[in-house]
Amino acid sequence: MAVSATPRTGDGVAVAFSGGLDSTVLLHAAVRAAAGRQWIIALHVHHGLHPLADDWLAHCERTAMAFGARFACARLHGAPARGDSVEAWAREGRHRALHDMASAAGVDLLMLAHHRQDQAETFLLQALRGAGVAGLSGMPKLQWRDGLCWARPWLDLPRDAIRAYAEQHGLDWIEDPSNADPRFSRNRLRQALWPAFPGAEVGLAQAARWAQQADALAAEVAAEDLARLGSAERLDLQALMQLSPARASNALRAWLAHYTVAPATLVDRLLTEWRPGATASWPAPGGSLQAYRGGLFWVDESAAVPLPVRIDLSRPGRYPQPGWRGSWVVEASAPGVSSSRLVRLTQRARSGAEQFQRAPATVARSFKKACQEAGLPHWRRDGPLLFDDAGRLIAAAGLGMDARALAAADEAQLALRWQEDTVLPQSEGQAEGGH
């Protein structure tokens, strides 16, 4: 049975090994295919969910050694939270453990024994949940995640062929009784679907392949559209709405994928509720979406406002401020502030009474008014702000240096500007001229 996946430069290949029929055959076939040219390591995850789990671990280690493979095991700790899916908890823990074991073994190829029936079941379960083409695509044959290639060489192979191989070579495997437990949705599907529709596996697996092609095409179209609709930080809503509804939805979902797992209802609401010129907000998992001056922005969930701190910005450089998700960038440039005034600064959030002067010839305005004039969105108006020892405003994130703080032309001066970790388009206030 063929087990090749992708060309490699390393000497080792990992196989996810539960001890069941499918993974036992894959491990045996992989060792035979390697024929001493590569070493094979079997990776076993001890879920701790079954009384026989320790016996299964011992069986897997004996089997791997008998086949001529190396062996590693990881134990999952904890348990699903109340109300959480046992299947989902076990799957997430298993994926994490397999990745960590493969990395520790120094391999970048992990083979899994999923076959055609597994793919058909995945397609149908996703369809029952109302998934889009990405979900209906099922499992990919090859997928790189965090430096590890997850390979499923048998996705087109019927399970009967796997069982025939096991019987031909006299292999022993574990029969997990939980595979017959009707509490699990995949088991109910197996018990009800395949006996009633024995030919459904081929058609459903083919439908998953069509969905994979449709998903790849949607990704290509979204990439072309997003290249014209702005940047990763700002989506041009006016231009988005010029697309067809299906294409606009596709582009919006692709843009949102950088930040959150967006439910379909969120995408539909945004596309139907936004109006040109409107300022609006939509809550989303992990943050919110903000429509401001024709653009759509992602805002992470608000964290606690950092406490005031002392900061020395008297030398050129970049000064990260993690609590504020940005950095002060200090450069030897004019117009700027006298370096002596930057030795002992106080950095704090806006209090509400501040005023800001954009240029020497202008009038100081309320901070809110200055932000509005600069086009600074409301979620970026809290700060940080910098004050000298006398309590005078030196600079504000998003606005720049206060003109009243600028040094005389004959003084050594440093220019300050704020740089977001995720850069937003902004009209950073650079005061014109010096005193």
Side-chain angles (χ1 to χ4, degrees), residues 13-17 23 26-27 30 40-44 98 109-113:
V13 176
V15 175
F17 184 41
S23 63
L26 179 60
L27 181 62
I40 307 297
I41 183 168
L43 305 181
H44 179 75
L98 289 171
L109 176 62
L110 171 66
M111 294 198 296
L112 303 102

Side-chain angles (χ1 to χ4, degrees), residues 110-127:
L110 171 66
M111 294 198 296
L112 303 102
H114 296 116
H115 45 75
R116 190 173 67 188
Q117 182 176 303
D118 293 323
Q119 184 75 307
E121 290 169 354
T122 299
F123 175 90
L124 191 53
L125 288 170
Q126 290 288 350

Side-chain angles (χ1 to χ4, degrees), residues 380-397:
R380 291 194 51 214
R381 297 176 186 175
D382 285 337
L385 282 64
L386 295 175
F387 297 86
D388 64 13
D389 266 344
R392 294 168 297 194
L393 181 62
I394 299 295

Side-chain angles (χ1 to χ4, degrees), residues 196-338:
F197 300 95
E201 175 185 315
V202 176
L204 292 172
Q206 177 60 55
R209 287 193 289 272
W210 287 122
Q212 288 175 353
Q213 291 189 22
D215 188 44
L217 178 59
E220 291 179 15
V221 174
E224 292 181 2
D225 288 338
L226 291 178
R228 296 181 291 103
L229 295 176
S231 65
E233 292 79 31
R234 180 184 185 276
L235 184 65
D236 187 334
L237 287 173
Q238 190 70 50
L240 180 75
M241 298 305 179
Q242 301 305 310
L243 301 176
S244 68
R247 195 161 177 169
S249 175
N250 181 58
L252 177 58
R253 283 183 280 109
W255 186 83
L256 288 173
H258 293 290
Y259 304 105
T260 186
V261 179
T265 52
L266 175 62
V267 175
D268 292 341
R269 282 189 59 200
L270 196 150
L271 292 174
T272 56
E273 293 175 4
W274 181 79
R275 296 291 180 271
T279 298
S281 175
W282 296 268
S288 65
L289 293 165
Q290 304 285 342
Y292 182 78
R293 296 195 176 186
L296 185 67
F297 302 90
W298 170 259
V299 180
D300 284 333
E301 283 181 333
S302 298
V305 175
L307 295 173
V309 295
R310 285 287 194 178
I311 184 171
D312 180 354
L313 299 179
S314 60
R315 290 181 297 276
R318 183 173 177 271
Y319 298 80
Q321 307 299 315
W324 290 100
R325 297 176 182 170
S327 303
W328 289 108
V329 178
V330 182
E331 299 167 316
S333 180
V337 181
S338 171

Side-chain angles (χ1 to χ4, degrees), residues 345-366:
L345 297 174
T346 297
Q347 176 177 264
R348 66 167 173 81
R350 167 192 174 195
S351 67
E354 297 86 3
Q355 290 190 328
F356 183 83
Q357 184 175 329
R358 288 182 62 83
T362 63
V363 177
R365 311 295 296 273
S366 71

